[in-house]
Amino acid sequence: MSSLMLQEIEEQPRALAETIREERAKVERLGKFLRERDIDLIIMVARGSSDNAALFGRYLMEIRTGIPVSLSAPSVYTLYGARLKLDRALVIGVSQSGEGEDINRVLARARECGAFTLGITNEPTSTMTRIVDETLLMHGGREQSVAATKTYTGQMMLFYMLAEALTDGATPKLDFEKIPEYVARALALRPIVEELVARYVFMENCVVVGRGLSYANAYELALKLMETCYVVAERFSSADFFHGPLAIVERHFPIILFAPPGVTLPGVMSLLERLRELRADTLAITSERAVAELCTRSIRMPEELNEFLAPIPYIVPGQLFAALLAEAKGLDPDKPRSLSKVTRTL
């Protein structure tokens, strides 16, 4: 019987399509309201996988809207009690459960400081929804596995929708409606991932690399490997990896790379050339033949998938890899040791 994690990974095409359908009108109204409010700062507050989704949102929103985006440090509010000037700010809380105490306290404090607050959550009756000015929901149903999968991609989808709603009509559209179909095609790669997993059963350490719009996926896959497989997984951008961390690489050291087409690809290629010289074990998720030829192994994605639409489909083979590797190691990915579904911190 498949784990709940694998079942929820399989649910993502439907969940994403449902989120687009159910939230589109609300997001368009919200975008119009925020443009009229003349927002000049966006602050994200989140933890865990939601923080990784927020990191993706930061890149996408800054690139698409030109509005500066900051990832909040919750302790500034919860421990130090700072009062920030947020009259023209949008503060976005991202939480699967909507019950993270530190996230909700930041949202309440930000609202007191004049910000417009937005919650992104999977739970329509959660505490978060009663604190914020407006809520956007994922529509994939309750997530039961401790390891977030469909809620992570659902949060990313809402950032696509929000980024498009905040831009003017002259900006080319993202065509995010195509993403559920690309995710379905990524799920069809499961037999390839299953074959690869057997080669990594004894992996205890690795590095995950991504950059730009794929940087958040490096964080997310590393987190999945740590929480479900107990693999010590560091994550870096391809640029940062040259600045010191490269020294840890020795022969057969495993490195997983997100290598979509676009402006970040030349940097990834340069890193791969150096890793090949060092005889590292490299596994790339990519559509690019040149990348695949430089790597020890690769998972090939559709060639027509562009840089902006790649992040959600590209994480799916990573999710499958983590879930299947956990099972190959004799672990239960639904019940990681020492973890629970809702984590409460201040």
Side-chain angles (χ1 to χ4, degrees):
M1 181 178 177
S2 292
S3 64
L4 289 170
M5 183 180 178
L6 280 168
Q7 292 174 39
E8 289 170 348
I9 290 169
E10 295 281 347
E11 293 170 7
Q12 289 176 111
R14 179 195 60 78
L16 292 166
E18 187 75 9
T19 296
I20 294 171
R21 183 165 51 251
E22 293 294 326
E23 297 297 303
R24 186 192 291 273
K26 185 193 294 184
V27 173
E28 289 175 353
R29 290 195 301 270
L30 179 62
K32 183 176 184 295
F33 168 80
L34 292 172
R35 290 197 307 272
E36 292 172 351
R37 189 178 169 113
D38 197 23
I39 294 294
D40 62 7
L41 174 65
I42 299 171
I43 298 174
M44 311 275 200
V45 53
R47 295 285 194 197
S49 286
S50 296
D51 198 32
N52 298 336
L55 178 58
F56 164 75
R58 176 184 186 177
Y59 275 85
L60 184 67
M61 302 276 274
E62 287 192 337
I63 293 166
R64 294 285 296 178
T65 71
I67 301 171
V69 181
S70 171
L71 298 179
S72 174
S75 60
V76 169
Y77 301 82
T78 61
L79 299 182
Y80 294 98
R83 184 175 183 85
L84 305 185
K85 298 176 182 178
L86 301 175
D87 299 82
R88 294 176 62 187
L90 167 63
V91 177
I92 305 175
V94 191
S95 171
Q96 177 273 140
S97 68
E99 298 297 342
E101 293 179 30
D102 48 357
I103 309 305
N104 288 337
R105 189 175 295 189
V106 171
L107 288 167
R109 183 70 168 164
R111 196 174 181 187
E112 292 172 4
C113 294
F116 184 87
T117 55
L118 172 64
I120 292 178
T121 183
N122 198 45
E123 297 296 336
T125 60
S126 62
T127 302
M128 175 182 279
T129 64
R130 300 192 295 273
I131 292 172
V132 295
D133 294 296
E134 185 59 89
T135 303
L136 297 178
L137 297 171
M138 292 91 78
H139 289 266
R142 177 159 292 178
E143 192 170 60
Q144 299 180 69
S145 180
V146 170
T149 53
K150 63 181 179 179
T151 53
Y152 172 71
T153 56
Q155 290 162 351
M156 294 171 78
M157 178 57 74
L158 287 169
F159 280 122
Y160 275 108
M161 297 171 72
L162 187 59
E164 187 146 298
L166 286 173
T167 58
D168 57 42
T171 305
K173 292 189 176 298
L174 287 165
D175 292 331
F176 56 77
E177 297 89 347
K178 297 178 180 178
I179 291 176
E181 175 58 28
Y182 281 122
V183 169
R185 290 171 65 179
L187 288 168
L189 298 170
R190 177 170 171 171
I192 295 170
V193 179
E194 287 177 331
E195 186 176 337
L196 280 170
V197 158
R199 299 175 179 271
Y200 293 90
V201 170
F202 299 105
M203 180 172 70
E204 296 181 350
N205 303 274
C206 74
V207 163
V208 188
V209 174
R211 193 177 182 188
L213 290 165
S214 295
Y215 188 39
N217 278 352
Y219 272 71
E220 178 61 12
L221 177 52
L223 177 60
K224 289 292 161 286
L225 291 170
M226 287 188 279
E227 67 183 345
T228 65
C229 304
Y230 313 146
V231 171
V232 179
E234 294 287 349
R235 56 272 204 196
F236 296 97
S237 80
S238 54
D240 287 337
F241 198 64
F242 277 113
H243 294 269
L246 190 65
I248 69 173
V249 178
E250 55 189 359
R251 187 173 183 176
H252 302 315
F253 186 87
I255 299 176
I256 304 171
L257 305 98
F258 290 96
V263 297
T264 64
L265 188 61
V268 174
M269 293 285 289
S270 295
L271 176 59
L272 277 170
E273 289 168 358
R274 183 71 179 105
L275 293 174
R276 192 172 190 178
E277 293 172 1
L278 295 170
R279 299 187 180 183
D281 182 308
T282 50
L283 168 60
I285 300 173
T286 187
S287 64
E288 304 301 301
R289 181 184 297 274
V291 171
E293 290 174 350
L294 279 173
C295 287
T296 312
R297 300 173 188 89
S298 64
I299 300 171
R300 295 294 297 275
M301 302 294 288
E303 291 184 1
E304 69 270 24
L305 192 51
N306 70 42
E307 175 180 15
F308 279 88
L309 298 187
I312 292 179
Y314 269 57
I315 193 58
V316 172
Q319 294 171 335
L320 289 169
F321 184 85
L324 292 167
L325 180 60
E327 291 187 355
K329 285 176 171 283
L331 304 170
D332 184 351
D334 296 329
K335 297 177 181 178
R337 64 191 182 204
S338 307
L339 299 179
S340 61
K341 188 61 178 171
V342 179
T343 304
R344 301 184 183 276
T345 54
L346 283 180

